[in-house]
Amino acid sequence: MASHFIRDIIIEDQKTGKNGGRVLTRFPPEPNGYLHVGHAKSIHLNFGLAREFGGRCNLRFDDTNPEKEETEYVESIIADVKWLGGDFGGSIFYASDYFQQLYDWAAQLIRDGKAYVCDLTPDQVRQQRGTLTEPGQESPYRNRSAEENLGLFARMRAGEFPDGSRTLRAKIDMASKNLNLRDPIMYRILHAEHHRTGNAWPIYPMYDYAHGQSDSIEGITHSICTLEFEDHRPLYDWFVEQLGIHHPQQIEFDRLNLTYTMMSKRKLLKLVQDKYVNGWDDPRMPTISGMRRRGYTPEALRNFCSKLGVSKTAGTTELALLEYCVREDLNKRALRVMGVLYPLRVVIDNYPEDLVEQMEAVNNPEDAGAGTRTVPFSKVLYIERDDFREDPPKQFFRLSPGREVRLRYGYFITCTGVVKDAAGEVIEVHCTYDPATRGGNAPDGRKVKSTIHWVSADHAIDSEVRLYETLFTKEDPNDVHEGHDFTDNLNPQSLTVITAKLEPSLAGAAPGSRYQFERMGYFTVDKGSTAANLAFNRTVTLKDTWAKIEQKMPDQKKPEKKPK
RNA sequence: UGGGAGGUCGUCUAACGGUAAGACUGCGGCCUCUGGAGCCGCGUAUCGGGGUUCGAAUCCCUGCCUCCCAGCCA
């Protein structure tokens, strides 16, 4: 596989002996939501680099804002990183474990005249920050003495002041072209309960002050983050330099954007809170837990991340690549079964009334070791509605009046007639079978153009099946008109729940197991599925060549939209 | 009209002064007891304009376009 600029930097560092050849990266999520596929890219990068260069990658929670963070999130993040194969060696780091050290360092900066307590209100701070084109104004509190600052900072820490009344600011340059350097706030007063430190601290460090120092404490060599932090790097460097501590190198790369997918944690939270989806692990969500529940494998996700590459070009990857990776992996490992999603009754008129034959079926043509199983065959079957057309278009090879097709692992059957309901809809198809074609081959060598799947009506088991489409109808969910938001682009068809007829071998299938319903797609048993109430989630469809042909047919009568 | 970072097939990514390559998508075909998988093939790209050079995606100049930044979020 081709290299990328971050790997090249590390290779160069090892050549020059920087960091003594050590490689220590970190994956630093804030526990304010569930991890999504964008995080998977970062996990793959950071843990991958560590493994490749014989180093380590720390899992560290950037938990410096108690108002948005919860233990539920840290637990889900740990589980997701593990599931993806991130090896953090059992130890977990928290920025909140460094609160005391960070506080001591802040005091040092105050003593050095590089930080001061500012009494401006949030509003005043904003006004004095200046704009993109105009410099800011210096705070009137900028030149307090070190003693006064130390005293005030200690009282802030002691909880003597109300929220928002004071801040600790770095004394840098209010005229800097880089707004991050205009006396950035290091600490704010927040009388909020932290999920780990409880009420021990009434002040909390800001990201810019906490992140680099946390990296430094851990001895991180390469601090890899996304592009939007490029403007923060000068500040990152400033703090570690003023403090005279280990200086990790911050490197920025492009975050993942995917078509039909939204990556903003804030918006994903809204989808959950406003119940547009059923929780963070709804299979339509781009979260790791949602994808897991959807049936994606860690291997598929890792392979996807490999194919993505790493660069500084902010682009958008097509969802098709992810789906390709999922199919590629599942094709090799998923056991084949037969399941009919939208059943149509078929009666084989010349088949004995109460005969049941056990037909042998291959479990996975891609894996000889997967063996075979047996599927019951009888006089009355179900086939897929889409596999029968009374008036077939030109290139339709499946069942239609007078035509012979093969029932997978069964017999050749020929359609002899249909039964319709009062509305004129076909509700039953009558066929004859050729007993000589048992197992699916004709001794006389005659061919059929199509093979369709089926289940025996008497033996089939019912199962809830959830069919998923993209959560959004637009490639860019944020593409909306004035006054609208991304929820306007939600796809009303993103979830369809049906009751399907499945072959009996699926009775009691274990949650999390994955199958290919032949000709239909890959499905996984939902985590809430039981023997009494089976439930499958569709992971991804198979590529559907026929659907493409049909799409291109110049306006011939297409089958009506599936019943919902 | 400030600062920062970027612009290579439709998409993502290579090529590091020497034949613009791969993957996904798309389109053909072969094969097939899954219209799946597999196999074979086809197509389309260096943002524009100058320059340096035997030779430029790569170096220089210039123009254009895109993304990020004015939280006491991360």
Side-chain angles (χ1 to χ4, degrees):
Chain A
M1 196 192 56
S3 191
H4 54 72
F5 79 100
I6 298 180
R7 180 183 285 118
D8 292 343
I9 289 172
I10 293 176
I11 290 170
E12 185 60 25
D13 286 348
Q14 296 210 316
K15 211 175 293 174
T16 62
K18 187 175 175 186
N19 302 311
R22 223 163 35 87
V23 174
L24 215 204
T25 58
R26 103 263 94 111
F27 172 63
E30 182 191 11
N32 66 342
Y34 280 58
L35 258 27
H36 55 62
V37 62
H39 293 106
K41 178 177 178 179
S42 175
I43 289 168
H44 185 259
L45 213 211
N46 280 294
F47 284 95
L49 251 14
R51 187 173 47 246
E52 182 179 346
F53 291 96
R56 211 176 66 223
C57 176
N58 289 351
L59 169 58
R60 178 174 76 235
F61 289 95
D62 229 337
D63 54 350
T64 56
N65 183 1
E67 297 188 309
K68 291 184 176 174
E69 298 157 5
E70 292 175 27
T71 299
E72 176 195 348
Y73 296 138
V74 347
E75 285 166 357
S76 75
I77 289 169
I78 292 170
D80 288 348
V81 171
K82 276 185 185 163
W83 183 75
L84 275 172
D87 175 16
F88 47 88
S91 42
I92 296 171
F93 300 80
Y94 297 85
S96 52
D97 282 341
Y98 310 141
F99 282 172
Q100 185 60 46
Q101 174 66 265
L102 259 16
Y103 178 82
D104 293 342
W105 275 335
Q108 177 186 328
L109 289 175
I110 291 174
R111 283 191 295 271
D112 291 347
K114 291 164 182 167
Y116 62 95
V117 172
C118 178
D119 301 356
L120 256 23
T121 65
D123 236 38
Q124 292 170 317
V125 169
R126 189 182 324 117
Q127 277 161 19
Q128 301 204 353
R129 186 157 28 228
T131 67
L132 292 177
T133 53
E134 298 159 325
Q137 297 148 42
E138 296 189 347
S139 163
Y141 306 98
R142 200 170 198 260
N143 296 307
R144 292 216 249 229
S145 68
E147 299 75 60
E148 185 183 3
N149 281 320
L150 246 15
L152 253 14
F153 188 46
R155 291 173 63 196
M156 280 170 64
R157 194 264 174 270
E160 291 186 25
F161 308 121
D163 288 3
S165 60
R166 286 184 165 85
T167 57
L168 182 71
R169 295 229 254 165
K171 192 191 284 189
I172 308 182
D173 177 9
M174 287 308 290
S176 174
K177 303 278 191 194
N178 184 340
L179 307 220
N180 294 123
L181 264 21
R182 317 239 266 228
D183 288 9
I185 291 170
M186 295 166 61
Y187 274 90
R188 75 280 214 184
I189 299 172
L190 227 48
H191 293 268
E193 181 168 331
H194 186 281
H195 63 99
R196 291 189 75 244
T197 61
N199 295 306
W201 291 85
I203 57 173
Y204 291 90
M206 298 287 290
Y207 165 85
D208 283 308
Y209 178 64
H211 200 91
Q213 279 56 257
S214 297
D215 282 347
S216 185
I217 288 169
E218 293 174 19
I220 300 298
T221 55
H222 304 270
S223 178
I224 301 168
C225 60
T226 44
L227 253 24
E228 67 269 27
F229 291 102
E230 277 173 327
D231 285 344
H232 295 247
R233 182 162 18 104
L235 182 52
Y236 182 108
D237 293 340
W238 190 88
F239 280 124
V240 290
E241 275 161 22
Q242 300 305 315
L243 256 11
I245 57 179
H246 167 65
H247 191 159
Q249 179 184 6
Q250 174 176 309
I251 305 170
E252 310 85 13
F253 73 105
D254 62 325
R255 64 163 63 238
L256 171 67
N257 292 302
L258 255 193
T259 55
Y260 300 104
T261 307
M262 205 169 46
M263 236 53 104
S264 152
K265 269 202 227 171
R266 198 199 105 236
K267 291 173 181 171
L268 293 178
L269 176 63
K270 181 179 168 68
L271 290 177
V272 173
Q273 283 180 335
D274 295 353
K275 307 236 191 290
Y276 289 108
V277 296
N278 304 313
W280 284 97
D281 69 344
D282 186 300
R284 291 167 293 182
M285 290 283 272
T287 52
I288 304 300
S289 53
M291 291 181 162
R292 174 166 60 233
R293 192 171 176 188
R294 174 90 172 237
Y296 288 19
T297 61
E299 290 84 355
L301 248 19
R302 275 188 244 127
N303 191 238
F304 171 65
C305 292
S306 298
K307 287 181 187 298
L308 244 29
V310 178
S311 74
K312 291 174 79 87
T313 319
T316 302
T317 297
E318 288 174 345
L319 186 61
L321 181 63
L322 210 210
E323 297 193 328
Y324 167 83
C325 291
V326 172
R327 289 190 185 104
E328 183 190 42
D329 184 51
L330 259 18
N331 177 51
K332 287 178 294 191
R333 69 170 75 218
L335 263 25
R336 271 59 169 176
V337 292
M338 291 196 284
V340 174
L341 268 26
Y342 294 96
L344 174 62
R345 233 171 108 86
V346 169
V347 179
I348 303 173
D349 294 318
N350 62 338
Y351 194 85
E353 196 69 44
D354 38 14
L355 178 60
V356 176
E357 294 183 86
Q358 296 299 327
M359 314 306 273
E360 186 178 42
V362 174
N363 286 330
N364 186 350
E366 305 290 322
D367 176 9
T372 60
R373 70 186 183 288
T374 238
V375 186
F377 186 96
S378 66
K379 185 182 181 74
V380 181
L381 313 170
Y382 290 115
I383 64 167
E384 208 66 55
R385 262 186 186 288
D386 277 356
D387 285 342
F388 176 81
R389 289 286 274 279
E390 190 178 17
D391 186 13
K394 194 80 180 141
Q395 298 164 85
F396 185 88
F397 302 145
R398 282 113 91 145
L399 196 63
S400 58
R403 183 176 294 161
E404 182 173 52
V405 301
R406 172 168 40 232
L407 293 174
R408 180 95 159 140
Y409 302 123
Y411 289 99
F412 283 13
I413 57 169
T414 303
C415 175
T416 55
V418 301
V419 176
K420 297 183 183 179
D421 64 11
E425 193 183 339
V426 175
I427 54 169
E428 188 173 291
V429 174
H430 283 257
C431 294
T432 58
Y433 84 116
D434 177 355
T437 58
R438 187 180 202 279
N441 286 301
D444 64 4
R446 78 179 185 280
K447 304 287 187 195
V448 288
K449 294 201 83 167
S450 179
T451 299
I452 64 178
H453 61 280
W454 52 274
V455 292
S456 166
D458 280 348
H459 304 84
I461 53 176
D462 283 351
S463 173
E464 177 173 326
V465 173
R466 300 142 186 177
L467 307 176
Y468 298 106
E469 289 180 22
T470 55
L471 226 203
F472 297 96
T473 54
K474 287 195 175 173
E475 283 199 7
D476 175 9
N478 292 312
D479 174 17
V480 289
H481 293 296
E482 269 297 321
H484 294 257
D485 73 358
F486 66 96
T487 58
D488 290 330
N489 288 328
L490 249 5
N491 179 3
Q493 324 234 61
S494 62
L495 169 63
T496 302
V497 181
I498 59 173
T499 300
K501 299 284 187 184
L502 309 181
E503 67 169 68
S505 73
L506 255 11
S513 51
R514 305 179 181 89
Y515 297 89
Q516 181 197 102
F517 289 5
E518 291 212 36
R519 304 206 306 134
M520 303 309 291
Y522 294 98
F523 294 75
T524 187
V525 182
D526 188 68
K527 67 174 188 182
S529 179
T530 62
N533 288 296
L534 258 192
F536 279 84
N537 300 329
R538 183 170 69 193
T539 308
V540 65
T541 60
L542 253 28
K543 286 214 303 198
D544 191 345
T545 304
W546 165 242
K548 252 179 218 172
I549 295 170
E550 198 177 25
Q551 280 299 322
K552 282 185 295 191
M553 287 195 310
D555 216 64
Q556 294 205 30
K557 60 199 126 178
K558 292 170 189 165
E560 327 113 46
K561 195 69 193 163
K562 296 261 179 58
K564 166 186 103 81

